[in-house]
Every structure is written in structure tokens, then in C-alpha cells.
Coordinates of all heavy atoms in Angstrom, one line a residue:
V4 N 0.8 -1.2 0.0 CA 0.0 0.0 0.0 C 0.9 1.2 0.0 O 0.6 2.2 -0.7 CB -1.0 0.0 1.2 CG1 -1.6 1.4 1.4 CG2 -2.1 -1.0 1.0
R5 N 1.9 1.2 0.8 CA 2.9 2.4 0.8 C 3.6 2.6 -0.5 O 3.8 3.7 -0.9 CB 3.8 2.2 2.0 CG 3.1 2.4 3.3 CD 4.1 2.7 4.4 NE 3.3 3.0 5.7 CZ 3.5 2.4 6.8 NH1 4.5 1.6 7.0 NH2 2.8 2.8 7.8
E6 N 4.0 1.5 -1.2 CA 4.6 1.6 -2.5 C 3.6 2.2 -3.5 O 4.0 3.1 -4.3 CB 5.0 0.2 -3.0 CG 6.2 -0.4 -2.3 CD 6.4 -1.8 -2.6 OE1 5.8 -2.4 -3.6 OE2 7.3 -2.5 -2.0
L7 N 2.3 1.8 -3.4 CA 1.3 2.3 -4.4 C 1.1 3.8 -4.0 O 1.0 4.6 -5.0 CB 0.0 1.5 -4.2 CG 0.0 0.1 -4.8 CD1 -1.3 -0.6 -4.5 CD2 0.3 0.1 -6.3
A8 N 1.0 4.1 -2.8 CA 0.8 5.5 -2.4 C 2.0 6.4 -2.9 O 1.8 7.5 -3.4 CB 0.7 5.6 -0.9
E9 N 3.2 5.9 -2.9 CA 4.4 6.6 -3.3 C 4.3 6.8 -4.9 O 4.5 7.9 -5.4 CB 5.6 5.9 -3.0 CG 6.9 6.6 -3.4 CD 8.2 5.9 -2.9 OE1 8.2 5.4 -1.7 OE2 9.1 5.8 -3.7
Q10 N 3.8 5.8 -5.6 CA 3.6 5.9 -7.0 C 2.5 6.9 -7.3 O 2.7 7.7 -8.3 CB 3.3 4.5 -7.6 CG 4.4 3.6 -7.8 CD 4.1 2.3 -8.4 OE1 3.1 1.6 -7.9 NE2 4.8 1.9 -9.4
L11 N 1.4 6.9 -6.6 CA 0.4 7.9 -6.8 C 0.9 9.3 -6.6 O 0.6 10.2 -7.3 CB -0.8 7.6 -5.9 CG -1.6 6.4 -6.2 CD1 -2.6 6.1 -5.0 CD2 -2.4 6.6 -7.5
F12 N 1.7 9.5 -5.5 CA 2.3 10.8 -5.3 C 3.2 11.2 -6.4 O 3.2 12.3 -6.9 CB 3.1 10.8 -4.0 CG 3.7 12.1 -3.6 CD1 2.9 13.1 -3.1 CD2 5.0 12.3 -3.8 CE1 3.5 14.3 -2.8 CE2 5.6 13.5 -3.5 CZ 4.8 14.5 -2.9
K13 N 4.0 10.3 -6.9 CA 4.9 10.6 -8.0 C 4.1 11.0 -9.3 O 4.6 11.8 -10.1 CB 5.9 9.5 -8.3 CG 7.0 9.3 -7.3 CD 7.9 8.2 -7.6 CE 9.0 8.0 -6.5 NZ 9.8 6.8 -6.8
N14 N 3.0 10.3 -9.5 CA 2.2 10.6 -10.7 C 1.7 12.0 -10.6 O 1.5 12.7 -11.6 CB 1.0 9.6 -10.8 CG 1.5 8.2 -11.3 OD1 2.6 8.1 -11.8 ND2 0.6 7.3 -11.2
E15 N 1.3 12.5 -9.4 CA 0.7 13.8 -9.2 C 1.9 14.9 -9.2 O 1.6 16.0 -9.4 CB -0.2 13.8 -8.0 CG -1.4 13.0 -8.2 CD -2.3 13.1 -7.0 OE1 -2.0 13.9 -6.1 OE2 -3.3 12.3 -6.9
N16 N 3.0 14.5 -8.7 CA 4.1 15.4 -8.6 C 5.3 14.9 -9.3 O 6.3 14.4 -8.7 CB 4.5 15.6 -7.1 CG 3.3 16.1 -6.3 OD1 2.7 17.1 -6.7 ND2 2.9 15.3 -5.3
P17 N 5.3 14.9 -10.7 CA 6.4 14.4 -11.4 C 7.8 15.0 -11.2 O 8.8 14.4 -11.4 CB 6.0 14.4 -12.8 CG 5.0 15.5 -12.9 CD 4.3 15.5 -11.5
N18 N 7.8 16.3 -10.8 CA 9.0 17.1 -10.7 C 9.1 17.6 -9.2 O 8.8 18.8 -9.0 CB 9.1 18.2 -11.6 CG 9.1 17.7 -13.0 OD1 9.8 16.8 -13.4 ND2 8.5 18.5 -13.9
P19 N 9.4 16.8 -8.2 CA 9.4 17.2 -6.8 C 10.5 18.2 -6.5 O 10.3 19.0 -5.6 CB 9.6 15.9 -6.0 CG 10.3 15.0 -7.0 CD 9.8 15.4 -8.3
H20 N 11.5 18.3 -7.4 CA 12.6 19.2 -7.1 C 12.2 20.7 -7.4 O 12.8 21.6 -6.9 CB 13.8 18.9 -7.8 CG 13.6 18.9 -9.3 ND1 13.0 17.9 -10.0 CD2 13.9 19.9 -10.3 CE1 13.0 18.2 -11.3 NE2 13.5 19.4 -11.5
I21 N 11.1 20.9 -8.1 CA 10.6 22.2 -8.4 C 9.7 22.6 -7.3 O 8.6 22.1 -7.1 CB 9.8 22.3 -9.7 CG1 10.7 21.9 -10.9 CG2 9.2 23.6 -10.0 CD1 10.0 21.8 -12.2
A22 N 10.2 23.5 -6.5 CA 9.5 24.0 -5.3 C 8.8 25.3 -5.7 O 9.3 26.2 -6.3 CB 10.4 24.2 -4.1
F23 N 7.6 25.4 -5.2 CA 6.8 26.7 -5.3 C 7.2 27.6 -4.2 O 7.0 27.3 -3.0 CB 5.3 26.4 -5.3 CG 4.9 25.5 -6.5 CD1 4.7 24.1 -6.3 CD2 4.7 26.0 -7.7 CE1 4.3 23.4 -7.3 CE2 4.3 25.2 -8.8 CZ 4.1 23.9 -8.6
Q24 N 7.7 28.8 -4.6 CA 8.0 29.8 -3.6 C 6.8 30.6 -3.3 O 6.1 31.0 -4.2 CB 9.2 30.6 -4.1 CG 10.4 29.9 -4.4 CD 11.6 30.8 -4.9 OE1 11.3 31.9 -5.3 NE2 12.8 30.3 -4.8
K25 N 6.7 30.9 -2.0 CA 5.6 31.8 -1.6 C 6.0 33.2 -1.8 O 7.2 33.6 -1.7 CB 5.3 31.6 -0.1 CG 4.7 30.2 0.2 CD 4.3 30.1 1.6 CE 3.7 28.8 1.9 NZ 3.3 28.6 3.2
V26 N 5.1 34.0 -2.2 CA 5.3 35.5 -2.3 C 5.3 36.1 -1.0 O 4.4 35.9 -0.2 CB 4.3 36.1 -3.2 CG1 4.5 37.6 -3.3 CG2 4.2 35.5 -4.6
P27 N 6.4 36.8 -0.6 CA 6.5 37.4 0.7 C 5.4 38.4 0.9 O 5.0 39.2 0.0 CB 7.9 38.0 0.8 CG 8.3 38.1 -0.6 CD 7.6 37.1 -1.4
R28 N 4.9 38.5 2.1 CA 3.9 39.5 2.5 C 4.6 40.9 2.5 O 5.7 41.0 3.0 CB 3.4 39.2 3.9 CG 2.4 40.2 4.4 CD 1.7 39.7 5.7 NE 0.3 39.5 5.3 CZ -0.3 38.4 5.5 NH1 0.2 37.5 6.2 NH2 -1.6 38.3 5.1
P29 N 3.9 41.9 1.9 CA 4.5 43.2 1.9 C 4.7 43.8 3.3 O 4.0 43.4 4.3 CB 3.5 44.1 1.2 CG 2.4 43.2 0.7 CD 2.6 41.9 1.3
T30 N 5.8 44.5 3.5 CA 6.1 45.1 4.8 C 5.0 46.1 5.2 O 4.4 46.7 4.3 CB 7.5 45.7 4.8 OG1 7.5 46.8 3.8 CG2 8.6 44.7 4.5

């Protein structure tokens, strides 16, 4: 089940190294 869950995660996130940066809140 954990192996399948990992495959499902990889299918949805094929490029895990690309991180989404948050836009900083204005001062």
C-alpha cells in the first residue's frame, strides 16, 4: 500500500525538485 501511495504521489508530482516559492507578505 505504501509503495502504491508513493507511485500515486509521483504521478501527481512528477518534478518534486521544483518548489513553489511563496510570495512574501509586503512590509
